[in-house]
Amino acid sequence: MNAPRSLSPLKVAIAGLGTVGAGTIRVLADQAALLTARAGRPVVISAVSARDRARERGVDLSAFAWFDDPVEMAKRAEADVVVELIGGSEGPAKAVCEAALGAGRHVVTANKALLAHHGVALAQLAEEKGLGLFYEAAVAGGIPIIKAMREGLAANDIHSLHGILNGTCNYILTTMRETGRDFEDVLSEAQELGYAEADPTFDIDGIDAAHKLAILVSLAYRVPVDLDAVTIQGIRHISALDIDFATELGYRIKLLAMAHKGAGGIEQRVSPVMVRLDAPLAHVEGVYNAVVTEGDFVGRNVFEGRGAGAGPTASAVVADLIDIARGNITPVFGVPVGALKAQPVEAPDGHVGRYYVRLMVVDRPGVFAEVAAALRDEKVSMETIVQRARDPGETVPVVMTLHDTEEGAMVRALDRIGASDAMVEPPRVIRIETF
Ligand SMILES: NC(=O)c1ccc[n+]([C@@H]2O[C@H](COP(=O)([O-])OP(=O)(O)OC[C@H]3O[C@@H](n4cnc5c(N)ncnc54)[C@H](OP(=O)(O)O)[C@@H]3O)[C@@H](O)[C@H]2O)c1
């Protein structure tokens, strides 16, 4: 009997040695035997690149070739795969991926911004070259949602999906509810603890979640990744008062990324939403992420786990490397790029659903009649109304929940209500979803 032929190692070059890059090096070192068994061949690092060679990263880099220029590494290193862990939709990250694919190397990336902006073009390039472009770590960190949607759920049409895709926002909303503190205060603390970036815009304005949603939507509906199709609203305007009223009404406020196929097309939206306490996502707290999918044969699946951090994200990067080592090269967005077809986008105005509305009102006679008339004229009907105790002439919050109503009609009614001199700030609106 012949001895089994030992397969050549998969050689990996890593661009970017920050949180995820150093984490990936650690997993590849600590799990070497397990990975060799699972991949059927060793997975070894051949080269690395970052900006500062002298920086201490807590991992031993001495065995790897060092490149100051990551693009040069992508072109010249002795590697089968280039792992891009630099970040950003343009600049070196994009150049590294293009150079690697151009030079005939597979690419693994954790970069949702890059894929949201250039995913189709990069997928096209990978396909032309017969190479893999893998990105499990780009959406929901350690949750294997990309593989689940691309492969495990491939037999299904996905009717809808929704998820908590930004751990920073979820941490802020959870802490606001638990402590009763306001948004700005909790955001500053999150920045001190390292849960939020110094520039938190991408997270708190919903852009990061939108990048991830656009990728999931492509996998679910076989459409090109299209960030412009996502309606985006972040959490800056959520106040401690809204969180308090949500609890009183039996809801939790979550920043959700949502997509569903309606009569008018695919709705893609990131916005704060009130979810009932018995919804799967109501109890996903802190920095955790979760995704719920509804498929026609499989029904509902709920995925929950850590959405960020060195360990979970490196776990996802290494899973992609195992696929490449095994030769499992799948179409980037589940189908060949030519089979991705744009579909109409459902305008938010056409959405029919329930809403929470908070008005800040100067309590004087006739105000309620004005509010009721504006709602009646747009055929918007109120389900509940909550008003806190006050003295005449004081500003008071008035909270209404609305029965199913068309968003456009509600917006028109609230425009009229908001123009009243009894309103001290614009009406605040949060969707209520019953998943
Ligand atoms: N952190 C997470 O939990 C997480 C989760 C999911 C996805 N991601 C994604 O993973 C990617 C990496 O994130 P990260 O948190 O690891 O970032 P990070 O800690 O800021 O690390 C970025 C790395 O890129 C290197 N770099 C930056 N510009 C470079 C350039 N021009 N040439 C060469 N190297 C350059 C930096 O080098 P120096 O170290 O020398 O400065 C650093 O090592 C991003 O796309 C991010 O969105 C991160």
Side-chain angles (χ1 to χ4, degrees), residues 17-20 50-52 55 57 70 85 87 92 110-112 137 308-309 313:
L17 302 173
T19 305
V20 187
R51 278 177 301 208
D52 179 0
R55 194 171 143 191
R57 300 169 192 278
L85 301 171
N111 190 337
K112 55 267 175 173
T313 315

Side-chain angles (χ1 to χ4, degrees), residues 4-312:
R5 199 164 54 91
S6 68
L7 285 165
S8 58
L10 182 80
K11 295 196 193 96
V12 179
I14 301 181
L17 302 173
T19 305
V20 187
T24 300
I25 292 174
R26 210 166 294 123
V27 173
L28 288 173
D30 291 358
Q31 303 286 69
L34 176 77
L35 298 176
T36 302
R38 294 220 162 111
R41 58 198 280 211
V43 179
V44 299
I45 299 170
S46 57
V48 293
S49 175
R51 278 177 301 208
D52 179 0
R53 189 170 188 173
R55 194 171 143 191
E56 172 52 39
R57 300 169 192 278
V59 286
D60 181 7
L61 304 177
S62 58
F64 318 135
W66 174 273
F67 285 79
D68 285 324
D69 178 355
V71 179
E72 198 55 23
M73 180 183 77
K75 288 181 189 159
R76 313 248 174 269
E78 201 190 312
D80 308 298
V81 188
V82 175
V83 182
E84 183 280 303
L85 301 171
I86 294 173
S89 63
E90 313 297 326
K94 178 166 175 268
V96 162
C97 293
E98 288 170 346
L101 293 170
R105 293 132 203 262
H106 305 284
V107 168
V108 173
T109 178
N111 190 337
K112 55 267 175 173
L114 175 69
L115 291 168
H117 287 277
H118 303 293
V120 176
L122 289 170
Q124 180 78 53
L125 185 55
E127 200 172 293
E128 280 165 17
K129 299 272 185 178
L131 295 164
L133 169 58
F134 286 81
Y135 51 92
E136 186 62 76
V139 182
I143 304 174
I145 189 64
I146 302 300
K147 198 171 187 69
M149 292 191 60
R150 195 182 52 213
E151 291 159 53
L153 299 173
N156 295 267
D157 259 329
I158 303 294
H159 304 304
S160 71
L161 66 96
H162 61 274
I164 294 172
L165 296 179
N166 186 274
T168 304
C169 288
N170 207 45
Y171 169 82
I172 291 172
L173 293 172
T174 301
T175 307
M176 285 174 73
R177 181 179 57 75
E178 286 173 350
T179 63
R181 281 151 58 203
D182 245 317
F183 172 76
E184 291 295 343
D185 187 19
V186 176
L187 171 61
S188 310
E189 185 190 74
Q191 286 171 314
E192 279 160 29
L193 292 171
Y195 294 154
E197 303 279 339
D199 177 2
T201 310
F202 266 38
D203 289 325
I204 64 178
D205 289 337
I207 299 160
D208 174 75
H211 287 153
K212 296 164 180 170
L213 179 67
I215 295 168
L216 293 184
V217 163
S218 178
L219 285 166
Y221 300 107
R222 286 168 286 135
V223 295
V225 183
D226 181 9
L227 190 59
D228 292 338
V230 186
T231 303
I232 310 172
Q233 189 188 30
I235 63 166
R236 280 182 202 268
H237 67 289
I238 301 292
S239 69
L241 203 53
D242 296 317
I243 303 242
D244 211 26
F245 275 116
T247 304
E248 191 173 326
L249 293 164
Y251 298 104
R252 288 269 194 277
I253 301 178
K254 296 288 178 190
L255 183 78
L256 292 194
M258 298 167 284
H260 88 280
K261 205 165 179 178
I266 300 171
E267 185 191 26
Q268 304 183 43
R269 183 182 180 106
V270 172
S271 71
V273 168
M274 286 199 186
V275 293
R276 278 179 17 184
L277 288 179
D278 58 0
L281 299 194
H283 302 283
V284 175
E285 301 281 40
V287 295
Y288 274 75
N289 280 195
V291 181
V292 180
T293 57
E294 302 274 356
D296 45 6
F297 286 91
V298 72
R300 172 176 289 188
N301 281 105
V302 182
F303 305 83
E304 182 181 350
R306 291 182 187 275

